[in-house]
Amino acid sequence: MIMRDVAIVGVGMSKFGERWSSGLKDLMAEAGIAALEDANISSHEIEMLYGSTMASGRFVGQEHTAALMADQLGFHNIPAVRLENACASGGSALRQGYIAVASGIHDIVVVGGVEKMTDVTSGEASTALGGAGDQEWELFQGITFPGLYALMAKRHMYEYGTTEEQMASVSVKNHDNASKNQYAQFRRAITIDDVMRSKMVSDPLKLLDCSPISDGAAVAVLVPLEKAKKYNDTPIKIVASAQASDTLRLAERDSLTEIKATKIAAQNAYKQAKLEAKDIDVVEVHDCFSIAEILAMEDLGFYKKGKAAKAIADGETTLNSKLSVNTSGGLKGCGHPVGATGIKQAAEIVWQLRGDAKERQVKNAEVGMTHNVGGSGATAVVHIYKRAD
Amino acid sequence: MERSSSSLWRKIRSRYDLVGNECKNCGSNYFPPRVVCRKCGRKSKMVEKKFAGDGEIYSITRIRVPPDTFKDEAPYFIGVIKLKEGPMVEGHVLENGIEPKIGTKVRLRFRKMYVEGDEGLIYYQYKFEPV
Ligand SMILES: [Zn+2]
């Protein structure tokens, strides 16, 4: 039961990328202060913090990151809880913040995600991220994250005739969007040929099918809708918050060509919002790999199973086409600091619905969605948003 | 990151002999073994079951960028194998001249998995070989 409506009144993010001169605290502060300024709120008004990091212990040796974030942002002595749900940590923290405000327990809640990934070698990063799957039966055997999504891609190609060029078109679109985003890690366009010629990582996925290793943070401020106008002229209402889980181990799922947790979370979200897929104007989906965006477009109900790859290759999901998908550049173009990604997606949708997305603005965007996945699909979080002014 | 090897020895019968389990309440087969049946929850009645290791490739990839533990082994094939008894299992697929692709029949083999550092333990486990 939802006790009261919740709105986002402030968002902020750090520049994503290889941030050699910035540590965990710098990134937290960069995004956190931007969000507080956006909400025109003081540090002392914040009542609760949910902080998301996936593997800060592995990446920089720092645990206890939510209390650290509260400490760094001047939120003296408030309750702070770290949330870890692999790559869906950020979306999960947003959902917990939503629940805390909706329940009436807290009025002003900050959700903040951060990851500092580039201080370790790529092999160490691969091992840290591998912990999002089943450590004993996947990572132990040398099955990497690209490997798991490659297994899904191969089966999708086999069942539906999906091609490597169609997958490449996801990366091309997302780089194009990222080139218009000041916060994005990659601000350059790429071609299908660039993707096809990039180094093979795990057949059929090549380097440019994969989201990068990134540093970055993103923060959002949540308040009850009835108080939102005090902080922002264009509060964005969260009209649905849904989450589902599935087996950690990929092979044990009902199907390799869908992420069932996404389907369940999406169905619940549409029901809560009393909306359908066709009502969504702009969506940030979890494109950790190109195939993941194809699966997401199908599992979120935008396309029938097996139909999304061709539609994406035909340009149906580019900026201001039929449905604008990953206007931020997605995980591929904007970067994927794992703990921050879910909250960055919300920030992008808030900017889009306010009309503040500049060069990448979707025309007449009224309803937005975010979709955040953990591991190879053991967690999925879906939120739907609307303007509330 | 180095771990104590005890986490691996705990599952040694599964890793060496493909021992999983079966729920006597509903008949579901599991490999790797589960403590609790996914379908039955607290009503599950789990008993050991050894799988023959015959099956076919359901999906396949070749990993060329490995985690550090496998840097001397790459590239290597990883498949999702559908065992004839039902369970789907991820595992290494050996190279023997037969191209491993979706639908290729495989059988069980026992091979070195990886070596822990220059003087560390050598880990062994089941792998699958195309037939
Ligand atoms: Zn059972």
mmCIF file of all heavy atoms in Angstrom, chain A residues 123 135-138 140-142 144 150-151 154-155 158 200-203 247 249 251-252, chain B residues 3 8 11 15 31-32 34 38 58-62 64 67-68 70 76 88 90-92 125:
data_model
loop_
_atom_site.group_PDB
_atom_site.id
_atom_site.type_symbol
_atom_site.label_atom_id
_atom_site.label_comp_id
_atom_site.label_asym_id
_atom_site.label_seq_id
_atom_site.Cartn_x
_atom_site.Cartn_y
_atom_site.Cartn_z
ATOM 1 N N GLY A 123 41.666 -7.042 -15.279
ATOM 2 C CA GLY A 123 41.456 -8.405 -14.779
ATOM 3 C C GLY A 123 40.826 -8.399 -13.398
ATOM 4 O O GLY A 123 39.914 -9.173 -13.113
ATOM 5 N N GLN A 135 29.302 -17.062 -7.795
ATOM 6 C CA GLN A 135 30.761 -17.155 -7.654
ATOM 7 C C GLN A 135 31.247 -18.591 -7.781
ATOM 8 O O GLN A 135 32.223 -18.874 -8.477
ATOM 9 C CB GLN A 135 31.193 -16.540 -6.308
ATOM 10 C CG GLN A 135 32.690 -16.285 -6.194
ATOM 11 C CD GLN A 135 33.460 -17.531 -5.808
ATOM 12 O OE1 GLN A 135 32.920 -18.418 -5.148
ATOM 13 N NE2 GLN A 135 34.702 -17.599 -6.228
ATOM 14 N N GLU A 136 30.563 -19.542 -7.112
ATOM 15 C CA GLU A 136 31.037 -20.929 -7.081
ATOM 16 C C GLU A 136 30.969 -21.626 -8.434
ATOM 17 O O GLU A 136 31.805 -22.465 -8.746
ATOM 18 C CB GLU A 136 30.183 -21.756 -6.103
ATOM 19 C CG GLU A 136 30.507 -21.533 -4.651
ATOM 20 C CD GLU A 136 29.722 -22.507 -3.773
ATOM 21 O OE1 GLU A 136 28.548 -22.833 -4.077
ATOM 22 O OE2 GLU A 136 30.287 -22.940 -2.782
ATOM 23 N N TRP A 137 29.938 -21.312 -9.236
ATOM 24 C CA TRP A 137 29.703 -22.101 -10.443
ATOM 25 C C TRP A 137 29.850 -21.309 -11.731
ATOM 26 O O TRP A 137 29.749 -21.877 -12.805
ATOM 27 C CB TRP A 137 28.331 -22.780 -10.371
ATOM 28 C CG TRP A 137 28.263 -23.705 -9.201
ATOM 29 C CD1 TRP A 137 27.652 -23.473 -8.009
ATOM 30 C CD2 TRP A 137 28.909 -24.978 -9.079
ATOM 31 N NE1 TRP A 137 27.853 -24.524 -7.154
ATOM 32 C CE2 TRP A 137 28.618 -25.474 -7.791
ATOM 33 C CE3 TRP A 137 29.695 -25.763 -9.938
ATOM 34 C CZ2 TRP A 137 29.087 -26.704 -7.326
ATOM 35 C CZ3 TRP A 137 30.156 -26.987 -9.475
ATOM 36 C CH2 TRP A 137 29.854 -27.446 -8.189
ATOM 37 N N GLU A 138 30.039 -19.990 -11.641
ATOM 38 C CA GLU A 138 30.265 -19.201 -12.857
ATOM 39 C C GLU A 138 31.665 -18.587 -12.813
ATOM 40 O O GLU A 138 32.549 -18.958 -13.586
ATOM 41 C CB GLU A 138 29.170 -18.128 -13.024
ATOM 42 C CG GLU A 138 27.821 -18.770 -13.334
ATOM 43 C CD GLU A 138 26.668 -17.811 -13.488
ATOM 44 O OE1 GLU A 138 26.672 -16.726 -12.859
ATOM 45 O OE2 GLU A 138 25.731 -18.144 -14.223
ATOM 46 N N PHE A 140 34.138 -18.988 -10.751
ATOM 47 C CA PHE A 140 35.204 -19.964 -10.484
ATOM 48 C C PHE A 140 35.688 -20.637 -11.771
ATOM 49 O O PHE A 140 36.849 -20.993 -11.910
ATOM 50 C CB PHE A 140 34.709 -21.032 -9.485
ATOM 51 C CG PHE A 140 35.643 -22.210 -9.370
ATOM 52 C CD1 PHE A 140 36.797 -22.110 -8.605
ATOM 53 C CD2 PHE A 140 35.384 -23.400 -10.037
ATOM 54 C CE1 PHE A 140 37.686 -23.184 -8.508
ATOM 55 C CE2 PHE A 140 36.262 -24.475 -9.954
ATOM 56 C CZ PHE A 140 37.420 -24.369 -9.192
ATOM 57 N N GLN A 141 34.770 -20.816 -12.713
ATOM 58 C CA GLN A 141 35.125 -21.476 -13.974
ATOM 59 C C GLN A 141 35.657 -20.493 -15.007
ATOM 60 O O GLN A 141 35.819 -20.857 -16.176
ATOM 61 C CB GLN A 141 33.896 -22.155 -14.596
ATOM 62 C CG GLN A 141 33.256 -23.210 -13.765
ATOM 63 C CD GLN A 141 32.307 -24.037 -14.631
ATOM 64 O OE1 GLN A 141 32.699 -24.665 -15.606
ATOM 65 N NE2 GLN A 141 31.042 -24.030 -14.269
ATOM 66 N N GLY A 142 35.848 -19.245 -14.636
ATOM 67 C CA GLY A 142 36.342 -18.274 -15.599
ATOM 68 C C GLY A 142 35.266 -17.734 -16.512
ATOM 69 O O GLY A 142 35.548 -17.261 -17.610
ATOM 70 N N THR A 144 33.052 -14.904 -17.431
ATOM 71 C CA THR A 144 33.047 -13.462 -17.184
ATOM 72 C C THR A 144 31.648 -12.902 -17.448
ATOM 73 O O THR A 144 30.777 -13.581 -17.980
ATOM 74 C CB THR A 144 34.012 -12.772 -18.150
ATOM 75 O OG1 THR A 144 33.597 -13.089 -19.488
ATOM 76 C CG2 THR A 144 35.442 -13.259 -17.939
ATOM 77 N N ALA A 150 27.135 -13.036 -23.658
ATOM 78 C CA ALA A 150 27.418 -13.663 -24.959
ATOM 79 C C ALA A 150 26.608 -14.946 -25.116
ATOM 80 O O ALA A 150 26.100 -15.243 -26.200
ATOM 81 C CB ALA A 150 28.912 -13.960 -25.080
ATOM 82 N N LEU A 151 26.450 -15.693 -24.020
ATOM 83 C CA LEU A 151 25.641 -16.918 -24.068
ATOM 84 C C LEU A 151 24.179 -16.579 -24.373
ATOM 85 O O LEU A 151 23.504 -17.303 -25.111
ATOM 86 C CB LEU A 151 25.765 -17.689 -22.749
ATOM 87 C CG LEU A 151 27.126 -18.350 -22.488
ATOM 88 C CD1 LEU A 151 27.267 -18.756 -21.020
ATOM 89 C CD2 LEU A 151 27.325 -19.568 -23.399
ATOM 90 N N LYS A 154 24.118 -15.476 -28.163
ATOM 91 C CA LYS A 154 24.209 -16.609 -29.105
ATOM 92 C C LYS A 154 22.870 -17.331 -29.225
ATOM 93 O O LYS A 154 22.453 -17.717 -30.319
ATOM 94 C CB LYS A 154 25.285 -17.592 -28.623
ATOM 95 C CG LYS A 154 26.667 -17.288 -29.156
ATOM 96 C CD LYS A 154 26.754 -17.637 -30.637
ATOM 97 C CE LYS A 154 28.084 -17.282 -31.261
ATOM 98 N NZ LYS A 154 29.168 -18.160 -30.883
ATOM 99 N N ARG A 155 22.194 -17.490 -28.112
ATOM 100 C CA ARG A 155 20.905 -18.178 -28.148
ATOM 101 C C ARG A 155 19.847 -17.307 -28.839
ATOM 102 O O ARG A 155 18.996 -17.809 -29.571
ATOM 103 C CB ARG A 155 20.484 -18.531 -26.705
ATOM 104 C CG ARG A 155 19.313 -19.467 -26.611
ATOM 105 C CD ARG A 155 19.636 -20.880 -27.072
ATOM 106 N NE ARG A 155 18.416 -21.576 -27.469
ATOM 107 C CZ ARG A 155 18.363 -22.836 -27.894
ATOM 108 N NH1 ARG A 155 19.477 -23.554 -27.996
ATOM 109 N NH2 ARG A 155 17.222 -23.376 -28.239
ATOM 110 N N TYR A 158 20.372 -17.573 -32.450
ATOM 111 C CA TYR A 158 19.924 -18.895 -32.915
ATOM 112 C C TYR A 158 18.405 -18.944 -33.040
ATOM 113 O O TYR A 158 17.856 -19.449 -34.020
ATOM 114 C CB TYR A 158 20.424 -19.950 -31.924
ATOM 115 C CG TYR A 158 20.002 -21.367 -32.216
ATOM 116 C CD1 TYR A 158 20.678 -22.136 -33.166
ATOM 117 C CD2 TYR A 158 18.939 -21.948 -31.520
ATOM 118 C CE1 TYR A 158 20.300 -23.455 -33.420
ATOM 119 C CE2 TYR A 158 18.556 -23.253 -31.767
ATOM 120 C CZ TYR A 158 19.232 -24.009 -32.716
ATOM 121 O OH TYR A 158 18.856 -25.300 -32.961
ATOM 122 N N MET A 200 37.416 -8.892 -30.298
ATOM 123 C CA MET A 200 36.451 -9.863 -29.782
ATOM 124 C C MET A 200 36.732 -10.078 -28.289
ATOM 125 O O MET A 200 37.870 -10.338 -27.887
ATOM 126 C CB MET A 200 36.573 -11.181 -30.548
ATOM 127 C CG MET A 200 35.450 -12.162 -30.279
ATOM 128 S SD MET A 200 33.798 -11.569 -30.728
ATOM 129 C CE MET A 200 33.749 -11.982 -32.482
ATOM 130 N N VAL A 201 35.697 -9.947 -27.479
ATOM 131 C CA VAL A 201 35.838 -10.151 -26.033
ATOM 132 C C VAL A 201 35.326 -11.540 -25.667
ATOM 133 O O VAL A 201 35.985 -12.308 -24.973
ATOM 134 C CB VAL A 201 35.066 -9.061 -25.254
ATOM 135 C CG1 VAL A 201 35.065 -9.357 -23.754
ATOM 136 C CG2 VAL A 201 35.689 -7.685 -25.520
ATOM 137 N N SER A 202 34.108 -11.843 -26.110
ATOM 138 C CA SER A 202 33.494 -13.146 -25.858
ATOM 139 C C SER A 202 32.458 -13.330 -26.965
ATOM 140 O O SER A 202 31.422 -12.679 -26.948
ATOM 141 C CB SER A 202 32.846 -13.142 -24.467
ATOM 142 O OG SER A 202 32.445 -14.439 -24.121
ATOM 143 N N ASP A 203 32.747 -14.176 -27.926
ATOM 144 C CA ASP A 203 31.924 -14.306 -29.142
ATOM 145 C C ASP A 203 30.441 -14.392 -28.821
ATOM 146 O O ASP A 203 30.082 -15.242 -28.006
ATOM 147 C CB ASP A 203 32.266 -15.595 -29.908
ATOM 148 C CG ASP A 203 33.738 -15.750 -30.179
ATOM 149 O OD1 ASP A 203 34.517 -15.661 -29.210
ATOM 150 O OD2 ASP A 203 34.094 -15.945 -31.342
ATOM 151 N N THR A 247 17.134 -16.459 -10.474
ATOM 152 C CA THR A 247 18.305 -17.236 -10.071
ATOM 153 C C THR A 247 19.584 -16.456 -10.368
ATOM 154 O O THR A 247 19.685 -15.772 -11.382
ATOM 155 C CB THR A 247 18.390 -18.571 -10.834
ATOM 156 O OG1 THR A 247 18.586 -18.313 -12.226
ATOM 157 C CG2 THR A 247 17.116 -19.392 -10.647
ATOM 158 N N ARG A 249 22.375 -17.882 -11.083
ATOM 159 C CA ARG A 249 23.067 -18.617 -12.136
ATOM 160 C C ARG A 249 22.242 -18.561 -13.420
ATOM 161 O O ARG A 249 21.071 -18.933 -13.426
ATOM 162 C CB ARG A 249 23.268 -20.066 -11.690
ATOM 163 C CG ARG A 249 24.423 -20.783 -12.348
ATOM 164 C CD ARG A 249 24.779 -22.045 -11.582
ATOM 165 N NE ARG A 249 23.683 -22.990 -11.544
ATOM 166 C CZ ARG A 249 23.361 -23.826 -12.549
ATOM 167 N NH1 ARG A 249 24.070 -23.851 -13.655
ATOM 168 N NH2 ARG A 249 22.344 -24.655 -12.441
ATOM 169 N N ALA A 251 22.320 -20.285 -16.249
ATOM 170 C CA ALA A 251 21.846 -21.508 -16.904
ATOM 171 C C ALA A 251 20.555 -22.038 -16.290
ATOM 172 O O ALA A 251 19.839 -22.811 -16.913
ATOM 173 C CB ALA A 251 22.928 -22.583 -16.852
ATOM 174 N N GLU A 252 20.259 -21.631 -15.065
ATOM 175 C CA GLU A 252 19.101 -22.181 -14.374
ATOM 176 C C GLU A 252 17.796 -21.435 -14.676
ATOM 177 O O GLU A 252 16.728 -21.851 -14.248
ATOM 178 C CB GLU A 252 19.371 -22.165 -12.864
ATOM 179 C CG GLU A 252 18.711 -23.301 -12.143
ATOM 180 C CD GLU A 252 19.361 -23.624 -10.818
ATOM 181 O OE1 GLU A 252 20.307 -22.909 -10.417
ATOM 182 O OE2 GLU A 252 18.925 -24.584 -10.182
ATOM 183 N N ARG B 3 41.539 -16.916 -2.250
ATOM 184 C CA ARG B 3 40.572 -17.390 -1.272
ATOM 185 C C ARG B 3 41.114 -18.654 -0.648
ATOM 186 O O ARG B 3 41.963 -19.326 -1.225
ATOM 187 C CB ARG B 3 39.240 -17.721 -1.946
ATOM 188 C CG ARG B 3 38.295 -16.557 -2.059
ATOM 189 C CD ARG B 3 37.002 -17.032 -2.695
ATOM 190 N NE ARG B 3 37.285 -17.683 -3.960
ATOM 191 C CZ ARG B 3 37.437 -17.039 -5.105
ATOM 192 N NH1 ARG B 3 37.330 -15.732 -5.134
ATOM 193 N NH2 ARG B 3 37.701 -17.670 -6.206
ATOM 194 N N LEU B 8 36.236 -24.510 -2.181
ATOM 195 C CA LEU B 8 36.182 -25.376 -3.351
ATOM 196 C C LEU B 8 36.108 -26.840 -2.949
ATOM 197 O O LEU B 8 35.376 -27.625 -3.525
ATOM 198 C CB LEU B 8 37.395 -25.106 -4.227
ATOM 199 C CG LEU B 8 37.477 -23.616 -4.568
ATOM 200 C CD1 LEU B 8 38.808 -23.270 -5.194
ATOM 201 C CD2 LEU B 8 36.335 -23.213 -5.469
ATOM 202 N N LYS B 11 32.705 -28.603 -2.278
ATOM 203 C CA LYS B 11 31.854 -29.095 -3.372
ATOM 204 C C LYS B 11 32.611 -30.091 -4.253
ATOM 205 O O LYS B 11 32.307 -30.254 -5.424
ATOM 206 C CB LYS B 11 31.380 -27.901 -4.221
ATOM 207 C CG LYS B 11 30.451 -26.982 -3.476
ATOM 208 C CD LYS B 11 29.033 -27.540 -3.442
ATOM 209 C CE LYS B 11 28.143 -26.958 -2.380
ATOM 210 N NZ LYS B 11 28.187 -25.531 -2.213
ATOM 211 N N ARG B 15 32.206 -31.271 -8.209
ATOM 212 C CA ARG B 15 33.169 -30.819 -9.219
ATOM 213 C C ARG B 15 33.892 -31.995 -9.888
ATOM 214 O O ARG B 15 34.249 -31.921 -11.053
ATOM 215 C CB ARG B 15 34.211 -29.884 -8.581
ATOM 216 C CG ARG B 15 33.617 -28.566 -8.129
ATOM 217 C CD ARG B 15 34.692 -27.530 -7.858
ATOM 218 N NE ARG B 15 34.128 -26.371 -7.203
ATOM 219 C CZ ARG B 15 33.452 -25.397 -7.818
ATOM 220 N NH1 ARG B 15 33.272 -25.451 -9.120
ATOM 221 N NH2 ARG B 15 32.969 -24.386 -7.144
ATOM 222 N N PHE B 31 21.664 -29.691 -10.880
ATOM 223 C CA PHE B 31 23.118 -29.610 -10.873
ATOM 224 C C PHE B 31 23.500 -28.198 -11.222
ATOM 225 O O PHE B 31 23.065 -27.696 -12.249
ATOM 226 C CB PHE B 31 23.800 -30.575 -11.861
ATOM 227 C CG PHE B 31 25.281 -30.523 -11.625
ATOM 228 C CD1 PHE B 31 25.866 -31.372 -10.706
ATOM 229 C CD2 PHE B 31 26.068 -29.546 -12.220
ATOM 230 C CE1 PHE B 31 27.222 -31.260 -10.402
ATOM 231 C CE2 PHE B 31 27.409 -29.438 -11.916
ATOM 232 C CZ PHE B 31 27.989 -30.297 -11.008
ATOM 233 N N PRO B 32 24.351 -27.527 -10.420
ATOM 234 C CA PRO B 32 24.874 -27.958 -9.125
ATOM 235 C C PRO B 32 23.751 -28.196 -8.100
ATOM 236 O O PRO B 32 22.653 -27.678 -8.268
ATOM 237 C CB PRO B 32 25.758 -26.775 -8.691
ATOM 238 C CG PRO B 32 25.507 -25.679 -9.650
ATOM 239 C CD PRO B 32 24.808 -26.207 -10.822
ATOM 240 N N ARG B 34 21.247 -28.146 -4.989
ATOM 241 C CA ARG B 34 20.656 -27.107 -4.149
ATOM 242 C C ARG B 34 20.338 -27.693 -2.787
ATOM 243 O O ARG B 34 19.994 -28.871 -2.675
ATOM 244 C CB ARG B 34 19.346 -26.613 -4.756
ATOM 245 C CG ARG B 34 19.521 -25.652 -5.912
ATOM 246 C CD ARG B 34 18.152 -25.251 -6.457
ATOM 247 N NE ARG B 34 18.289 -24.201 -7.450
ATOM 248 C CZ ARG B 34 18.247 -22.895 -7.165
ATOM 249 N NH1 ARG B 34 18.049 -22.484 -5.928
ATOM 250 N NH2 ARG B 34 18.385 -21.999 -8.124
ATOM 251 N N ARG B 38 13.844 -25.394 -5.481
ATOM 252 C CA ARG B 38 13.256 -24.105 -5.891
ATOM 253 C C ARG B 38 11.743 -24.170 -5.950
ATOM 254 O O ARG B 38 11.063 -23.178 -5.753
ATOM 255 C CB ARG B 38 13.727 -23.755 -7.308
ATOM 256 C CG ARG B 38 14.951 -22.963 -7.384
ATOM 257 C CD ARG B 38 15.178 -22.559 -8.836
ATOM 258 N NE ARG B 38 14.495 -21.304 -9.132
ATOM 259 C CZ ARG B 38 14.220 -20.901 -10.361
ATOM 260 N NH1 ARG B 38 14.508 -21.647 -11.397
ATOM 261 N NH2 ARG B 38 13.648 -19.739 -10.550
ATOM 262 N N TYR B 58 23.513 -25.918 -25.493
ATOM 263 C CA TYR B 58 22.323 -25.071 -25.626
ATOM 264 C C TYR B 58 22.728 -23.660 -26.057
ATOM 265 O O TYR B 58 22.020 -22.989 -26.789
ATOM 266 C CB TYR B 58 21.581 -25.044 -24.287
ATOM 267 C CG TYR B 58 20.256 -24.342 -24.343
ATOM 268 C CD1 TYR B 58 19.134 -24.989 -24.868
ATOM 269 C CD2 TYR B 58 20.109 -23.027 -23.886
ATOM 270 C CE1 TYR B 58 17.909 -24.342 -24.936
ATOM 271 C CE2 TYR B 58 18.890 -22.375 -23.951
ATOM 272 C CZ TYR B 58 17.792 -23.033 -24.475
ATOM 273 O OH TYR B 58 16.576 -22.393 -24.553
ATOM 274 N N SER B 59 23.899 -23.212 -25.572
ATOM 275 C CA SER B 59 24.487 -21.964 -26.070
ATOM 276 C C SER B 59 25.990 -22.048 -25.830
ATOM 277 O O SER B 59 26.447 -22.830 -24.988
ATOM 278 C CB SER B 59 23.881 -20.735 -25.391
ATOM 279 O OG SER B 59 24.255 -19.570 -26.107
ATOM 280 N N ILE B 60 26.750 -21.240 -26.580
ATOM 281 C CA ILE B 60 28.212 -21.379 -26.526
ATOM 282 C C ILE B 60 28.880 -20.043 -26.817
ATOM 283 O O ILE B 60 28.393 -19.263 -27.622
ATOM 284 C CB ILE B 60 28.663 -22.453 -27.556
ATOM 285 C CG1 ILE B 60 30.185 -22.688 -27.529
ATOM 286 C CG2 ILE B 60 28.225 -22.122 -28.971
ATOM 287 C CD1 ILE B 60 30.602 -23.829 -26.670
ATOM 288 N N THR B 61 29.991 -19.782 -26.126
ATOM 289 C CA THR B 61 30.792 -18.596 -26.420
ATOM 290 C C THR B 61 32.260 -18.956 -26.246
ATOM 291 O O THR B 61 32.588 -20.019 -25.690
ATOM 292 C CB THR B 61 30.419 -17.410 -25.508
ATOM 293 O OG1 THR B 61 31.171 -16.248 -25.899
ATOM 294 C CG2 THR B 61 30.719 -17.700 -24.039
ATOM 295 N N ARG B 62 33.124 -18.102 -26.759
ATOM 296 C CA ARG B 62 34.551 -18.318 -26.561
ATOM 297 C C ARG B 62 35.097 -17.091 -25.847
ATOM 298 O O ARG B 62 35.035 -15.977 -26.385
ATOM 299 C CB ARG B 62 35.247 -18.493 -27.901
ATOM 300 C CG ARG B 62 36.635 -19.060 -27.740
ATOM 301 C CD ARG B 62 37.219 -19.409 -29.090
ATOM 302 N NE ARG B 62 38.320 -20.345 -28.906
ATOM 303 C CZ ARG B 62 39.376 -20.380 -29.709
ATOM 304 N NH1 ARG B 62 39.460 -19.557 -30.730
ATOM 305 N NH2 ARG B 62 40.349 -21.245 -29.474
ATOM 306 N N ARG B 64 37.728 -14.622 -24.597
ATOM 307 C CA ARG B 64 39.073 -14.210 -25.000
ATOM 308 C C ARG B 64 39.690 -13.234 -24.019
ATOM 309 O O ARG B 64 40.893 -12.999 -24.050
ATOM 310 C CB ARG B 64 39.026 -13.562 -26.384
ATOM 311 C CG ARG B 64 38.647 -14.571 -27.460
ATOM 312 C CD ARG B 64 37.985 -13.875 -28.607
ATOM 313 N NE ARG B 64 37.289 -14.816 -29.485
ATOM 314 C CZ ARG B 64 37.854 -15.424 -30.523
ATOM 315 N NH1 ARG B 64 39.117 -15.202 -30.831
ATOM 316 N NH2 ARG B 64 37.156 -16.257 -31.256
ATOM 317 N N PRO B 67 39.183 -13.531 -16.577
ATOM 318 C CA PRO B 67 39.601 -13.004 -15.273
ATOM 319 C C PRO B 67 41.040 -13.452 -14.993
ATOM 320 O O PRO B 67 41.545 -14.376 -15.651
ATOM 321 C CB PRO B 67 38.628 -13.640 -14.285
ATOM 322 C CG PRO B 67 38.053 -14.817 -14.983
ATOM 323 C CD PRO B 67 38.172 -14.578 -16.451
ATOM 324 N N ASP B 68 41.696 -12.805 -14.049
ATOM 325 C CA ASP B 68 43.123 -13.064 -13.800
ATOM 326 C C ASP B 68 43.442 -14.542 -13.575
ATOM 327 O O ASP B 68 44.472 -15.041 -14.021
ATOM 328 C CB ASP B 68 43.604 -12.252 -12.589
ATOM 329 C CG ASP B 68 43.812 -10.778 -12.963
ATOM 330 O OD1 ASP B 68 43.784 -10.473 -14.178
ATOM 331 O OD2 ASP B 68 43.981 -9.964 -12.048
ATOM 332 N N PHE B 70 42.365 -17.065 -14.945
ATOM 333 C CA PHE B 70 42.380 -17.859 -16.180
ATOM 334 C C PHE B 70 43.253 -17.254 -17.266
ATOM 335 O O PHE B 70 43.118 -17.599 -18.432
ATOM 336 C CB PHE B 70 40.946 -18.036 -16.697
ATOM 337 C CG PHE B 70 40.186 -19.101 -15.958
ATOM 338 C CD1 PHE B 70 39.606 -18.827 -14.731
ATOM 339 C CD2 PHE B 70 40.093 -20.388 -16.466
ATOM 340 C CE1 PHE B 70 38.928 -19.806 -14.038
ATOM 341 C CE2 PHE B 70 39.414 -21.377 -15.775
ATOM 342 C CZ PHE B 70 38.832 -21.090 -14.561
ATOM 343 N N TYR B 76 39.068 -19.762 -24.290
ATOM 344 C CA TYR B 76 38.447 -21.058 -24.004
ATOM 345 C C TYR B 76 36.944 -20.973 -24.257
ATOM 346 O O TYR B 76 36.348 -19.904 -24.171
ATOM 347 C CB TYR B 76 38.706 -21.498 -22.550
ATOM 348 C CG TYR B 76 38.503 -20.428 -21.504
ATOM 349 C CD1 TYR B 76 37.263 -20.236 -20.915
ATOM 350 C CD2 TYR B 76 39.563 -19.609 -21.109
ATOM 351 C CE1 TYR B 76 37.083 -19.253 -19.948
ATOM 352 C CE2 TYR B 76 39.386 -18.618 -20.150
ATOM 353 C CZ TYR B 76 38.148 -18.443 -19.572
ATOM 354 O OH TYR B 76 37.961 -17.476 -18.631
ATOM 355 N N MET B 88 20.411 -27.621 -16.703
ATOM 356 C CA MET B 88 21.289 -26.850 -17.581
ATOM 357 C C MET B 88 22.507 -26.443 -16.763
ATOM 358 O O MET B 88 22.379 -25.904 -15.662
ATOM 359 C CB MET B 88 20.571 -25.600 -18.054
ATOM 360 C CG MET B 88 19.295 -25.901 -18.796
ATOM 361 S SD MET B 88 19.589 -25.945 -20.558
ATOM 362 C CE MET B 88 18.937 -24.364 -20.975
ATOM 363 N N GLU B 90 26.545 -24.691 -16.811
ATOM 364 C CA GLU B 90 27.602 -23.962 -17.509
ATOM 365 C C GLU B 90 28.914 -24.695 -17.302
ATOM 366 O O GLU B 90 29.215 -25.143 -16.197
ATOM 367 C CB GLU B 90 27.738 -22.544 -16.943
ATOM 368 C CG GLU B 90 26.564 -21.646 -17.281
ATOM 369 C CD GLU B 90 26.066 -20.847 -16.099
ATOM 370 O OE1 GLU B 90 25.660 -21.477 -15.097
ATOM 371 O OE2 GLU B 90 26.066 -19.610 -16.179
ATOM 372 N N GLY B 91 29.702 -24.816 -18.355
ATOM 373 C CA GLY B 91 30.988 -25.476 -18.200
ATOM 374 C C GLY B 91 31.892 -25.243 -19.383
ATOM 375 O O GLY B 91 31.454 -24.767 -20.447
ATOM 376 N N HIS B 92 33.168 -25.579 -19.184
ATOM 377 C CA HIS B 92 34.134 -25.488 -20.278
ATOM 378 C C HIS B 92 33.840 -26.555 -21.328
ATOM 379 O O HIS B 92 33.488 -27.678 -20.985
ATOM 380 C CB HIS B 92 35.556 -25.703 -19.746
ATOM 381 C CG HIS B 92 36.108 -24.501 -19.068
ATOM 382 N ND1 HIS B 92 37.150 -23.770 -19.584
ATOM 383 C CD2 HIS B 92 35.740 -23.884 -17.921
ATOM 384 C CE1 HIS B 92 37.412 -22.760 -18.774
ATOM 385 N NE2 HIS B 92 36.581 -22.804 -17.752
ATOM 386 N N GLN B 125 38.260 -29.970 -12.418
ATOM 387 C CA GLN B 125 36.800 -29.998 -12.454
ATOM 388 C C GLN B 125 36.329 -30.690 -13.721
ATOM 389 O O GLN B 125 37.109 -30.885 -14.656
ATOM 390 C CB GLN B 125 36.231 -28.581 -12.393
ATOM 391 C CG GLN B 125 34.728 -28.570 -12.102
ATOM 392 C CD GLN B 125 34.158 -27.169 -12.100
ATOM 393 O OE1 GLN B 125 34.491 -26.396 -11.226
ATOM 394 N NE2 GLN B 125 33.335 -26.869 -13.071
#
